[in-house]
Amino acid sequence: MLALARAPLPPPQRVEPGASEQDPEHWWQAVVGVLAELSAGLDGYRPRALALDGTSASLLLADAEGRPLGPALMYDDSRARERLEAIDSVAPPEAPVHSASSSLAKLLHLLDACAPLPPGCRALHQAD
């Protein structure tokens, strides 16, 4: 290992029952800080690749340029319970989408909550 850096994040906001949100700006500031710390500790070494990791099933809507359109729904956000019947009717039983905290359930929840969406809107999520 050549360098190691970490940045703390504030806990998710729990604005209503089942909600778990985080401001993606906190993520960006953490990434910028960690990269600055890492680059200062590499003593001239020039990495050729970088890997980032995140919590699976966290979901964020972004515009066509990648700017967040609102808070990220964290892995444990389970407000999309009302979407499960529709998901259950079309998804194979073995599919990992049969949970109110799945990325698909969260996306369906956000599509209703954020309509109309801007052209080029993207759903960004951390896959398993």
Side-chain angles (χ1 to χ4, degrees):
M1 184 182 322
L2 299 173
L4 174 68
R6 296 177 188 186
L9 291 170
Q13 297 294 306
R14 305 210 183 263
V15 296
E16 63 182 87
S20 183
E21 300 178 351
Q22 207 164 41
D23 182 347
E25 181 62 26
H26 294 146
W27 299 352
W28 182 247
Q29 294 305 318
V31 167
V32 169
V34 163
L35 290 176
E37 189 176 334
L38 284 174
S39 62
L42 290 177
D43 297 324
Y45 179 80
R46 297 180 56 89
R48 296 186 310 189
L50 177 66
L52 299 174
D53 189 20
T55 306
S56 65
S58 293
L59 184 94
L60 170 68
L61 290 181
D63 67 14
E65 285 76 41
R67 289 183 300 262
L69 294 174
L73 301 189
M74 300 304 291
Y75 70 96
D76 59 345
D77 188 297
S78 61
R79 288 178 282 183
R81 286 183 187 85
E82 70 280 359
R83 303 292 174 249
L84 292 179
E85 187 174 321
I87 292 170
D88 291 345
S89 72
V90 295
E94 67 278 2
V97 297
H98 299 282
S99 165
S101 63
S102 72
S103 293
L104 178 58
K106 288 182 188 119
L107 177 58
L108 294 174
H109 171 77
L110 286 175
L111 289 176
D112 285 342
C114 299
L117 297 173
C121 178
R122 297 171 184 186
L124 310 175
H125 75 103
Q126 182 72 35
D128 287 326

